[in-house]
Amino acid sequence: MNKNKLLTLLLILIYQTSYSQFKFEREYRVSLKEVPVQAIDFVKSVKFKKKVKWFVEESQEGKTFEAKVNHNGNKHSLEFNEKGEVLDIEVKVKFSGLSETVKGNVSSLFKKRFTKYRIKKVQLQFTGRGEELVKCLQRTCGLQPKFELIVKGKDKKGYQKFEFLFNEEGNKVLRELKFLPDNYDNLEF
């Protein structure tokens, strides 16, 4: 095992056992033959017009597979567990495209939390059964998305980068993770 993989594994184990609230993520590209068949079949059922790229993501939560594709003008990420069961679908959007209520709730929370902040990335996150998630990809979805935001904020400790997961109204933080410094193994998509 090379040093980078050993270090990655060690960091994952340390952070999982300490129940840390840190964001650790490493993504790397994989070939189709490394992806669970069930995940491949799910993606094929959607019939994307653009090429799908496959990745493995190692994080504080374990190992998952991700299919990334441009679909209907937005970047989509479909996440699967090691068995190939779909976990969620994330759609990259602009903050300005969210409802006024959600934008107001999120902004209010960040203004209380940080002296300065900048939203770096916004994703709608859909979770549910496979059939429901396929409908979300076809724009006939009845599921309410959660909102995942990557934010660089300034507080007493200086500038730090965070990942926030908000509920459907944007008025409750469901998860907050602070990025580890120099998280260079994360691929932005």
Side-chain angles (χ1 to χ4, degrees):
M1 184 179 280
N2 72 31
K3 289 181 183 179
N4 284 340
K5 287 185 179 180
L6 185 60
L7 179 61
T8 299
L9 181 61
L10 182 61
L11 285 172
I12 289 171
L13 292 174
I14 289 169
Y15 288 114
Q16 281 183 331
T17 57
S18 67
Y19 298 100
S20 174
Q21 294 298 308
F22 286 98
K23 171 85 172 168
F24 169 77
E25 189 174 276
R26 179 175 179 258
E27 286 185 351
Y28 51 92
R29 187 92 186 259
V30 293
S31 67
L32 197 57
K33 65 183 177 187
E34 299 174 74
V35 178
V37 173
Q38 188 174 340
I40 295 168
D41 290 344
F42 182 90
V43 169
K44 282 182 180 176
S45 74
V46 180
K47 298 178 181 164
F48 291 115
K49 294 177 183 174
K50 304 272 183 164
K51 182 180 178 179
V52 176
K53 296 177 184 175
W54 287 95
F55 297 84
V56 167
E57 179 179 294
E58 296 171 352
S59 71
Q60 68 279 358
E61 296 171 359
K63 179 180 175 180
T64 58
F65 291 86
E66 278 192 273
K68 295 187 179 192
V69 63
N70 285 316
H71 178 64
N72 290 332
N74 294 94
K75 294 179 180 180
H76 286 64
S77 174
L78 293 74
E79 189 169 16
F80 301 88
N81 65 19
E82 291 186 80
K83 294 178 185 177
E85 300 164 333
V86 65
L87 300 173
D88 65 45
I89 293 175
E90 295 178 335
V91 182
K92 188 174 179 184
V93 296
K94 293 184 178 186
F95 187 72
S96 61
L98 301 179
S99 74
E100 293 301 319
T101 301
V102 170
K103 287 191 297 189
N105 290 339
V106 169
S107 295
S108 176
L109 183 131
F110 288 156
K111 286 176 184 173
K112 291 176 188 170
R113 175 75 191 277
F114 302 113
T115 55
K116 290 183 180 182
Y117 69 92
R118 183 171 182 199
I119 297 171
K120 307 291 266 177
K121 183 177 179 182
V122 179
Q123 295 184 125
L124 306 179
Q125 184 187 77
F126 295 95
T127 55
R129 293 192 333 247
E131 312 84 53
E132 295 170 320
L133 293 174
V134 169
K135 289 180 182 177
C136 291
L137 292 167
Q138 298 166 342
R139 295 186 176 179
T140 59
C141 180
L143 298 174
Q144 290 293 318
K146 296 178 184 107
F147 303 95
E148 185 179 275
L149 287 86
I150 306 295
V151 176
K152 186 173 183 180
K154 183 178 181 184
D155 59 15
K156 294 179 239 174
K157 298 177 185 176
Y159 282 100
Q160 298 179 68
K161 192 173 174 184
F162 296 88
E163 177 184 279
F164 289 92
L165 181 66
F166 286 90
N167 67 350
E168 296 84 356
E169 292 84 31
N171 60 3
K172 182 178 179 187
V173 176
L174 303 175
R175 183 182 70 222
E176 175 184 331
L177 299 171
K178 183 168 62 169
F179 278 83
L180 289 173
D182 301 323
N183 191 0
Y184 294 116
D185 289 330
N186 184 29
L187 297 176
E188 291 290 328
F189 178 78

